[in-house]
């Protein structure tokens, strides 16, 4: 049996990661992988309910951090860990790096507390690979355009997303063996070619 693998997709809103998730799922299925496509916050019935609250209900920064990690705990226990144990390839739209980038960078919430939640909730589980769709916050804002009913994150200003980007950069420099930085301001086929290069360099395929 092939070992399970856990790949996360990260980047600020408007970085274009979601369209590549589907392409990656199709690419991996063609190569015989059992693929589980999921997202955070979310991925289970309970975590999807928590997602609604995190995206739309006013709350303080600690509550927000606790809810994203509560959703993550349920997601890990119910879906991610069983899928990895079966040998599946788990492709996840955002994971804990988003908490460090959005709650830590964007909101300015304690990185130390986030680190403790990470240890507590994940018990050592980390992605095998994180594809980081990096692009200037101003370019991402143009791509997002005017969202009709923005959620609590989409409604933030450019300075917030610049702090989120800096949060991602900090996480990437702390775990360079896990992160692949993609030049996400490029055209879609160029970004896809970068992803293919990353996948080719891994021995898993
Ligand atoms: P998305 O599914 O459209 O990417 O929206 C999810 C939003 O939630 C996005 O703006 C980032 C935010 N988020 C956090 O603030 N913390 C987290 O831990 C995660 C996973 C997402």
């Amino acid at each position: 049996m092939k070992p399970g693998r856990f790949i996360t997709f990260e980047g600020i809103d408007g970085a274009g990661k979601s369209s590549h998730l589907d392409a990656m799922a199709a690419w991996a299925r063609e190569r015989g992988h059992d693929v589980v496509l999921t997202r955070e916050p979310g991925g289970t019935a309970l975590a999807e309910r928590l997602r609604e609250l995190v995206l739309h209900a006013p709350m303080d920064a600690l509550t927000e951090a606790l809810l994203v990690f509560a959703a993550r705990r349920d997601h890990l226990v119910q879906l991610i860990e069983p899928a990895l144990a079966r040998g599946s390839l788990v492709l996840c739209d955002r994971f804990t790096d988003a908490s460090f980038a959005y709650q830590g960078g964007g909101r300015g919430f304690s990185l130390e507390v986030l680190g403790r939640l990470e240890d507590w909730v994940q018990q050592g589980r980390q992605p095998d690979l994180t594809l980081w769709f990096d692009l200037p916050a101003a370019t991402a804002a143009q791509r997002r355009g005017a969202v009709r009913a923005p959620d609590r994150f989409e409604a933030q200003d450019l300075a917030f997303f610049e702090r989120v980007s800096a949060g991602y950069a900090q996480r990437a420099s702390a775990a360079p063996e896990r992160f692949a930085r993609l030049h996400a301001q490029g055209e879609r086929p160029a970004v896809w070619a970068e992803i293919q290069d990353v996948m080719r360099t891994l021995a898993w395929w």
Side-chain angles (χ1 to χ4, degrees):
M1 193 176 79
K2 288 179 178 144
R5 301 286 188 186
F6 184 25
I7 305 182
T8 57
F9 288 59
E10 296 282 2
I12 57 177
D13 296 76
K17 65 188 162 48
S18 299
S19 66
H20 289 289
L21 264 160
D22 291 333
M24 170 81 95
W27 189 84
R29 281 182 182 126
E30 276 169 24
R31 277 153 189 79
H33 288 264
D34 177 54
V35 176
V36 173
L37 202 53
T38 187
R39 69 170 179 182
E40 287 214 347
T44 65
L46 173 61
E48 289 291 333
R49 289 168 74 180
L50 295 174
R51 176 191 176 89
E52 273 309 298
L53 295 172
V54 170
L55 295 191
H56 301 293
M59 65 187 73
D60 82 331
L62 173 58
T63 309
E64 189 177 283
L66 291 170
L67 288 183
V68 293
F69 274 100
R72 181 160 301 132
R73 177 71 191 166
D74 192 60
H75 192 205
L76 275 165
V77 170
Q78 303 289 344
L79 192 137
I80 296 174
E81 293 294 352
L84 293 175
R86 285 195 310 270
S88 299
L89 174 69
V90 178
L91 302 179
C92 190
D93 191 349
R94 301 189 186 283
F95 194 63
T96 302
D97 299 310
S99 306
F100 280 83
Y102 282 78
Q103 281 65 55
R107 303 272 193 233
F109 184 72
S110 163
L111 299 181
E112 201 243 315
V113 174
L114 292 174
R116 274 193 268 159
L117 289 169
E118 178 182 34
D119 291 344
W120 206 23
V121 163
Q122 292 167 222
Q123 307 277 304
R125 171 64 67 192
Q126 289 293 345
D128 297 298
L129 170 70
T130 297
L131 296 172
W132 172 31
F133 292 71
D134 186 30
L135 82 178
T139 311
Q142 275 168 6
R143 284 200 188 164
R144 285 197 303 278
V147 181
R148 222 179 306 147
D151 64 38
R152 291 175 60 249
F153 300 102
E154 291 162 338
Q156 298 296 321
D157 61 12
L158 189 58
F160 177 90
F161 284 103
E162 278 166 353
R163 293 195 301 276
V164 173
S165 273
Y168 275 125
Q170 204 176 328
R171 283 287 278 184
S173 66
E177 69 294 344
R178 165 167 79 81
F179 269 85
R181 179 178 172 213
L182 306 170
H183 301 89
Q185 73 271 34
E187 296 292 322
R188 200 175 174 282
V191 179
W192 178 243
E194 279 191 56
I195 294 173
Q196 297 256 288
D197 280 348
V198 172
M199 301 322 281
R200 267 192 291 270
T201 62
L202 298 170
W204 319 342
W205 313 85

